[in-house]
Amino acid sequence: MQQPQHQPDLGFRLAVSPPVTQTRSFLTVALIELWERFGYYGMQALIVYFMVQRLGFDDTRATLVWGAAAALIYVAPAIGGWIGDKVLGTRRCMIIGAIILSLGYALMGIPVSGTWLTFVALGVIVVGNGLFKPNTANLVRKIYEGDDAKIDSAFTIYYMAVNVGSTVSMLATPAIKDHFNATSGGDLGWHMAFAFCSVGLWVGLLTVGVLRRTVNHIGSPPDELPLDWGKLALVLAGGVLTVIASTFILEYQWLARLFVYVAGLVVLGIFIHLIRTSQASERAGLVAALVLTLQTVFFFIFYQQMSTSLSLFALRNVNLDFSLFGNHLFTWSPAQFQALNAIWIMLLSPVLAWIYTRSSGSRLDLSIAAKFALGFAVVAAGFFTYGFAGAFAVNGLTSSWIMIAGYGLYSLGELLVSGLGLAMIARYVPARMGGFMMGAYFVAVGISQYLGGLVATMASVPEGMTDPLQTLPIYTSLFNKLGLAAIACTLIALAALPLMRRLTAAHHAHA
């Protein structure tokens, strides 16, 4: 439906939208996702350090607050996906969410050290991510709907785009922080780094503004109608209430636990209700999606260690110098080690996408369920690598190359599980439930992010302990336990393979 030129439209429609290829539409969506992740991961690289070093939190409070914030950030898309599908439009919500996210990072850029301001800013980020994340992923789903081979490859490349943005920001924000802290003689660097994240969002918005004609034909039914300002006002009012609620949840940990557990029960209940009331032709696909979503919950408990226990491990027990054959190459700050995850993702994503495309339809083509099982096995190897770090430590400091090896395995596992999580929803879930199920998937991720924060507290260093020889066994003990847990997850995923084969066959039979 052609948009009247006098009507306002936050989806950047043009009066005339010439036909464009799937690839160009996909690249436009991937570009704004790149810049959004630029902002998010630039903030994530510093947030736990900020709480410990700037706000004075102990390890346990910092990891639990960030775990609760990450949970809220990922739970919010459950509502945002529905708003995109039914209320404002998928494309519009992507744009509105990016604007709100830029405001959240800008608030963190205000050079005030108050705890409440930080929590309010995180609340604004929760709202922005809730609108942005599920609707951006759903646009990719709509572009390649019905083509399973292309969906797997597209979401893998999409995942790579995410990590292009995050690599740059996770290397840049710690350097910006260090530079301004050194030159200003204070703590201004923290806030300059967060403001830098906000600028990234505006670059992404301008990019989509220039390329808007490539996505004008992609969206949900509300995108085809003039913007309803009344509905927009209600959504924004709900956003304000969400910011207030998020602020209190972050301050009071008992409230955070209650929220996460209730959210988990509600989503599981809705999942079961949809399965029971769905058409026979849809049921097998929904059950398959539920099984894989539950496996994803376990994976993201491991994933959350990157910004919590692994982050603090790099601060206290990793030699920050990179040397090769006795020659010094360069030195990183502890926060920059998180960029290794994104760097490995970028290196491995094209290889996996090529393998998926070449093996499609052949005997070498692994099911998503089999890829999940393989992913857990690789994650186990990654955590055992960290667990063995003590064998390579000198005076309590392990080699920076251990971090590279561990992150390489960890990242391959992430691609096999998390990288295909969205593709799993796109493949098994009926189109009419797409937005909601994308949201439900992110709720599962959010729950596991909080549980991951709880797990990370097992490696909380007692206040006042600064000797690397004392802190090293605290971290390696946790990493070895996580390796064993990942092996258990591998065995569970393998045991579920026969069930997944039957569900997939039934789903394809009714497709």
Side-chain angles (χ1 to χ4, degrees), residues 21-37:
T21 64
Q22 286 179 321
T23 301
R24 293 188 65 188
S25 298
F26 168 75
L27 288 176
T28 299
V29 177
L31 278 172
I32 191 170
E33 175 72 13
L34 180 155
W35 284 109
E36 186 276 326
R37 294 287 88 179

Side-chain angles (χ1 to χ4, degrees), residues 76-94 96-97 100 126-132 134-135 138 219-223 227-228 231-239 242 434-437 439:
I79 300 173
W82 177 81
I83 292 172
D85 269 354
K86 307 296 184 183
V87 182
L88 295 180
T90 303
R91 192 173 60 252
R92 283 199 189 103
C93 281
M94 179 180 73
I96 296 169
I100 295 173
V126 167
V127 173
N129 192 75
L131 291 171
F132 181 91
N135 292 295
N138 209 16
S220 57
D223 281 308
L227 176 64
D228 188 321
K231 290 180 179 179
L232 175 61
L234 286 174
V235 169
L236 293 179
T242 301
F436 171 79
M437 294 307 296

Side-chain angles (χ1 to χ4, degrees), residues 46 78 83 123 133 182 204 305 328 368 428:
L46 296 176
I83 292 172
K133 195 68 178 176
Q305 303 314 305
H328 179 263
I368 287 184
Y428 289 113

Side-chain angles (χ1 to χ4, degrees), residues 42-59 62-63 66 170 173-174 177-178 187 190 194 305-318 320 333-338 403 407 475:
M43 179 270 294
Q44 179 184 281
L46 296 176
I47 190 65
V48 171
Y49 295 126
F50 178 73
M51 291 179 186
V52 171
Q53 297 177 319
R54 178 83 165 103
L55 299 181
F57 290 7
D58 59 31
D59 283 11
T63 53
W66 175 237
M170 285 193 287
T173 53
K177 183 265 294 183
D178 291 341
D187 294 310
W190 295 102
F194 292 135
Q305 303 314 305
M306 182 177 71
S307 58
T308 52
S309 61
L310 274 173
S311 180
L312 293 172
F313 175 66
L315 176 67
R316 296 174 176 134
N317 287 104
V318 175
L320 304 178
S333 69
Q336 288 177 316
F337 279 90
Q338 292 182 55
M403 297 296 283
Y407 266 105
Y475 289 113

Side-chain angles (χ1 to χ4, degrees), residues 178-214:
D178 291 341
H179 172 75
F180 280 95
N181 279 353
T183 55
S184 68
D187 294 310
L188 179 64
W190 295 102
H191 304 285
M192 293 299 293
F194 292 135
F196 183 65
C197 297
S198 180
V199 171
L201 265 295
W202 283 107
V203 173
L205 285 164
L206 290 172
T207 301
V208 172
V210 172
L211 301 174
R212 59 191 181 271
R213 69 184 181 87
T214 63

Side-chain angles (χ1 to χ4, degrees), residues 229-291:
W229 289 97
K231 290 180 179 179
L232 175 61
L234 286 174
V235 169
L236 293 179
V240 172
L241 293 176
T242 301
V243 171
I244 295 171
S246 298
T247 302
F248 280 93
I249 288 171
L250 294 177
E251 176 64 27
Y252 302 107
Q253 284 302 305
W254 67 268
L255 194 57
R257 285 193 295 273
L258 177 64
F259 172 81
V260 169
Y261 297 151
V262 170
L265 291 174
V266 168
V267 170
L268 182 60
I270 292 174
F271 234 126
I272 293 172
H273 171 73
L274 288 176
I275 291 170
R276 291 180 60 188
T277 59
S278 62
Q279 300 173 20
S281 60
E282 299 171 335
R283 196 161 298 140
L286 287 170
V287 174
L290 174 59
V291 171

Side-chain angles (χ1 to χ4, degrees), residues 5 30 38 43 71 79 117 132 140 179 186 213-214 276-277 281 329 346 348 373 388 398 406 424 454 462 487:
Q5 298 219 26
F38 173 95
M43 179 270 294
I79 300 173
L117 178 60
F132 181 91
V140 175
H179 172 75
R213 69 184 181 87
T214 63
R276 291 180 60 188
T277 59
S281 60
L329 301 178
M346 286 191 295
L348 295 171
F388 295 144
T398 193
M424 172 266 294
L454 286 176
I487 287 178

